[in-house]
Amino acid sequence: MKTEQSQYLNWQGLDNIKRQSPEQGLKQAAEQFEAMFLQMVLKNMRSATDALRDPDSPFAPGPQQTMMRDWHDGQIAMNLASRGQTGLRELMVNQLGDLLKTPAATVANNGETSLAAFSQPLRVAKNG
């Protein structure tokens, strides 16, 4: 599934997700979550390298360069999420998709439909 650029971090895109089937909406929301997660990872990596940089250096980025770098990191994160190579989206869809199919006691309700996905604890993979 390809994330449309108009939907990335856009509240109007949330309305489009709500109009889709629950399975398609889950896939789209998981992809957007993965993109936001990857953008945060990139932002923290950049801030770590900025902390090591000499602020008096002529090569230190200015505010415009920082803004464009953050925008570019967002685009990179969106592209990485649309390729699905990290596996985070698939993990979320597999884990929450089963909960959409099975009726369960409702913990949260948005007024229209019950959100059964919040009624059961998340499964955690055990290593070893």
Side-chain angles (χ1 to χ4, degrees):
M1 169 177 295
K2 182 88 169 141
T3 299
E4 295 181 20
Q5 291 180 3
S6 63
Q7 290 184 356
Y8 178 66
L9 296 179
N10 183 357
W11 292 111
Q12 292 173 348
L14 183 61
D15 290 333
N16 293 337
I17 290 175
K18 287 180 182 178
R19 289 187 206 112
Q20 296 176 358
S21 69
E23 292 82 15
Q24 286 296 104
L26 177 61
K27 289 178 184 177
Q28 189 75 30
E31 185 173 325
Q32 288 188 7
F33 177 83
E34 183 178 10
M36 289 187 338
F37 175 77
L38 290 172
Q39 184 177 10
M40 288 180 65
V41 168
L42 289 170
K43 181 179 180 181
N44 287 323
M45 287 172 40
R46 297 276 190 187
S47 67
T49 58
D50 287 345
L52 298 173
R53 183 174 307 176
D54 180 18
D56 297 329
S57 170
F59 301 109
Q64 294 88 3
Q65 289 174 321
T66 303
M67 181 186 71
M68 291 303 291
R69 184 181 67 186
D70 291 344
W71 175 81
H72 186 253
D73 286 347
Q75 295 297 314
I76 290 172
M78 224 169 46
N79 289 338
L80 288 171
S82 68
R83 291 181 187 157
Q85 294 177 339
T86 62
L88 182 61
R89 178 183 61 200
E90 288 80 17
L91 180 69
M92 290 176 64
V93 168
N94 290 339
Q95 191 164 2
L96 296 174
D98 294 339
L99 298 176
L100 289 175
K101 297 174 186 172
T102 59
T106 302
V107 172
N109 191 340
N110 68 359
E112 297 172 6
T113 60
S114 61
L115 303 173
F118 294 108
S119 65
Q120 299 177 7
L122 294 176
R123 293 185 303 259
V124 178
K126 296 180 182 177
N127 293 334

